[in-house]
Amino acid sequence: MSDLMSDTPTEFDPRYILNLIVWMTDTSALKASVSGGVHHRGWGMDRYLLRAIQNGISTNTVVTAKAAAGKKARSVKSPKMWPGPDEIHKTATTPKPKLSLADFARNLTRRRR
């Protein structure tokens, strides 16, 4: 692997480079970019499975609680599911500005006068 990082130009067998790419971990930056973006970094098969297990346990708990509650089943609230990388990325976007661009421009021209 140190040969790839050296300053001297060397030629590599394409099969060697392909093996490096194919055998990368599923949490690597390359796999994340192929999966949909940087927000997928660190989301390997183990994290997806843990998320599925946690969401399944939460759903099962709610179903059991509703069955035991009988007539008061509507009072049992559904749990929040663990978000995946796409849901986390949607909620982590930059906040919307309080002023629109047109309002900002109007306020800017008023202050100049």
Side-chain angles (χ1 to χ4, degrees):
M1 188 70 174
S2 63
D3 294 339
L4 285 176
M5 301 300 172
S6 68
D7 293 335
T8 59
T10 56
E11 291 191 24
F12 290 101
D13 183 24
R15 289 175 288 174
Y16 174 69
I17 302 294
L18 184 61
N19 273 333
L20 287 177
I21 293 170
V22 167
W23 291 104
M24 280 185 176
T25 63
D26 57 351
T27 58
S28 68
L30 178 68
K31 296 278 184 163
S33 65
V34 169
S35 296
V38 178
H39 54 280
H40 284 271
R41 182 97 192 251
W43 277 83
M45 186 59 68
D46 56 342
R47 188 169 293 183
Y48 282 109
L49 288 173
L50 284 173
R51 175 181 170 236
I53 290 169
Q54 175 63 33
N55 289 343
I57 290 171
S58 297
T59 303
N60 189 33
T61 304
V62 168
V63 168
T64 304
K66 285 187 177 194
K71 293 181 180 179
K72 297 181 183 180
R74 291 183 182 202
S75 64
V76 178
K77 295 182 180 177
S78 296
K80 274 185 136 179
M81 296 293 167
W82 271 15
D86 291 327
E87 291 95 8
I88 292 171
H89 181 68
K90 285 179 186 174
T91 59
T93 56
T94 56
K96 293 181 180 177
K98 294 181 180 178
L99 289 175
S100 68
L101 188 58
D103 292 337
F104 178 75
R106 265 188 246 116
N107 288 343
L108 191 64
T109 55
R110 285 183 197 160
R111 290 182 185 173
R112 288 185 181 174
R113 292 178 190 176

